[in-house]
Amino acid sequence: MALAEYKYKDILHRCFRCGYCKFPTNWIDVNNCPAYARFRMESYSCGGRLWLTRAWLNGEIDWTDHLAQIMYSCTACKNCEEKCPLRFNVDIVDMIRATKSEMVERGLIPSVVKEFLENIQRQGNPYGKARAKRGEWIGGTGIPQYEGQEFLYYVGCVGSYDTRAQETARTLGKVLIKAGLPFGVLGSEENCDGNEVNTLGEETLFEMLAEENIQKFRDLGVTKIVTLSPHSYNTMKNDYPRFDGSFEVRHYTQLLRDLITQGKLNFSGGLNARVTYHDPCFLGRWNGEYDTPRQILNSIPGIELIEMEKNKTGALCCGGGGGNFYTDFLAGSESSPARIRAREAYATGASILAVACPNCMTMLEDAVKAEGLEGELAVKDISEIVAEVCGLA
Amino acid sequence: MDNVKKALAEIVGEDHVSAEPEELYIYSYDLGTTEPHRPDYAVAPRTTEEVQGIVKLANKEKIPVVPLGGGLSLAGLAVPLRGGIALDLKRMDTIIEVNEKARYALVECGVSQAQMCSYLERYHPTLTHSEPGAPGPATIGGNVAIHGQGDLAQPYGFSSDMINGLEIVLPTGEVCRFGSCSISAGWFTLHPLPDLGLFLGWSGTTGIITKVSLRLFPCKRIRGTGQFVVEDEELVPEVMHKLTHTQMAEDIIAYSQAIPPFTSGLHHITINIGGDSEEELEFKQKLLWDDTLGEYIRRGDGGFLGFRRGLDRPVVAKTSDWRKGGGFEYVGAIMPVDTYPECYRRGREISERHDIPYTVLGRCIGMSHAMMFSWTYAFNRADPESIRQAREALHESDDLALELGGTLWKPGLYGQKLVMERMDSNTLELMKKVKQLLDPNGIMNPGNWEVA
């Protein structure tokens, strides 16, 4: 594809590369673009990616594996859109996604991205693990299979396969059972939601996944979905309607907040701890949900919620978005965004780093270990904290 | 991996050196109209010692070194004209110390202006620094390396007049400190000797600024901006003079622009003031609006457009989107204040001749001792003809500034040539000797300020 055929050909050149896209809301550093934070070269900033896209499509530079890595190091966290002062800012992440799509079309993607996508195509998950094993996380928890209950509890790939995230998935299931919520899961029948496939620019595979999921949900009579992952929440809420898949989709924190408010979840105790909360990009910047997770934490007796300096619209991404929890382009350094975020959390004096996303959980827990903060800073999902005070842990 | 890249990687780590086409492409470009020139390496050091190592290597290999802060000079001052190492200094971004009592901040060169503001607002709210009109990612080191000015230029002058100490890596690799820091642990004054004045404003051609002790100033609890407007450009120098006489303003800027069309031809004068109490603010407002500007209002020559509390951080990058083209560049000249009317009229003519909506601005430096006058030209990055038009307009503005008796601030190559052609021959010779003495191998940002 030449520049003339690029979807954003009329605005691509409008990036001045002033660098605002690197800042958090409070301007305290220039590290809020995860890829730029990791490498600190202009090429890895949002503006760098836009200029390189134009240079590539113009024929000023050739495609290289390095160029592809620069593009795929974007986690789609939307910090750039939040901070860019220019009028085209709402399209920035999609401009990068369009570049990735072009690389997909031409078969010019990094091998690890190819592997990620092929695994999803073959097994419905990025890890390449057997589809049949997708429901193994349930174990003997008694979490029911979906059979027309009011809610479908959609777990997602990370919650289904990652060992640590599986614990979170089970814990949330137990909490929902305790609240008396009529729900069920798909287990081995569940398929990838496609959010990461979409951000990686594989449009055809994404459409296929979305359409298959929508058809399955329709066949099963699903009307309400509660998701473990903000990534699933995002795509089912915002992308599936494009394929006539309109369901009532909620992230689990939104449901838990209501269950607590309605008195359906009673705390048997409190938690005397200083807690800081990390905003997941796909809940926060993508969907504007900043308050609900905080309301849950503030409702728990004994918790002192301390904000990190960079929070809400200015939160630093854990570095796991855009498939990077698997492709890992940002790993291997103390400048890896997850490690920076772990240090920021530790600096608050909190003993618990609360998360609301299985991707963030895995990224930040690894980072806490890499920083040698095990025993000083525990990474816990909000569902796990709620389970603890409900006497389920 | 070639030997130089390998040696650079040993100094800064493999993640922070690149000879890949992508980095070389990005660092070949300025954001203005300057033609790109590719470096051979892009390197991002973290410490003074690493900078020192890079410079020593560059001397050994006779490779140019082009220091880069935010890369926002727009005049092409960090474009590697002869290749070599593009030295991105933004990883050196630690605020080392803020001394509240002595009112200074010791920072690494790569600390951004916005980071500095945010840090002071949070942790030292009674202090502020002179924030330039450049985008927030502009760095402290970069700004003093080009004699920048900020929003305290009216009372205190150029940013490079607000320095209490410097750490420099010389072109031959030695680390030197200037000011009290060279003889003690305190970074509280640059003067007297060993202040040699050889590095501020030299655009990285005489050494690399690695640490800066920056003067801080009292930050009033309430700050805000008043707007006054006149139709007759001849009144602007007089208004500026009267305003500075009050010694009440923090920043005084006069500007005029074609967009939006209903304000075209008007001259807005923005006046920043501050007060620790409502009484102080009220007193200053009365002195400025009633006692000083009242006569113009009564005569119908000017209008007061109101006072707004809070200072907005300038978002000059929006200028780049005026033509939906992603680019702008300006000529900044240091001019006598009484040249404002001519600067405006002639600048407007240049803009109209090149079919570019005009934008001119004069910021008071010192007590009307001078002003930084800018002629800004937006262009469309995707349209070579638009870039050519802007470049021509810029050159005409360079010529105009000198014709009107001014001097150029951070000029690009064209403006540098004009300045050196007019410079006193003994001064020019001294510049040449200083550069030769400091930089015997001619590695520092070569192509800039080169005396024939």
Side-chain angles (χ1 to χ4, degrees), chain A residues 13-14 16 18 20 23 26-28 36 38-43 51 54-55 60 64 66-67 85 309, chain B residues 15 22-23 25 27 29 42 90 93 115 118 122-123 135 137 313-315 320-321 324 326 380-382:
Chain A
H13 64 278
R14 284 169 64 187
F16 183 53
C18 58
Y20 282 105
F23 282 104
N26 67 3
W27 307 93
I28 201 72
Y36 181 73
R38 168 66 180 83
F39 295 103
R40 296 300 292 264
M41 289 274 186
E42 286 298 315
S43 43
W51 279 47
R54 186 160 172 265
E60 292 174 78
T64 64
H66 186 59
L67 178 68
E309 276 205 285
Chain B
D15 282 349
E22 292 76 12
E23 277 74 36
Y25 176 86
Y27 286 102
Y29 273 90
K90 288 192 288 297
D93 63 355
Q115 181 188 354
S118 176
R122 285 187 151 230
Y123 302 114
R313 180 157 290 130
V315 189
S320 70
D321 212 31
K324 291 188 168 54
N380 185 338
R381 201 174 294 285

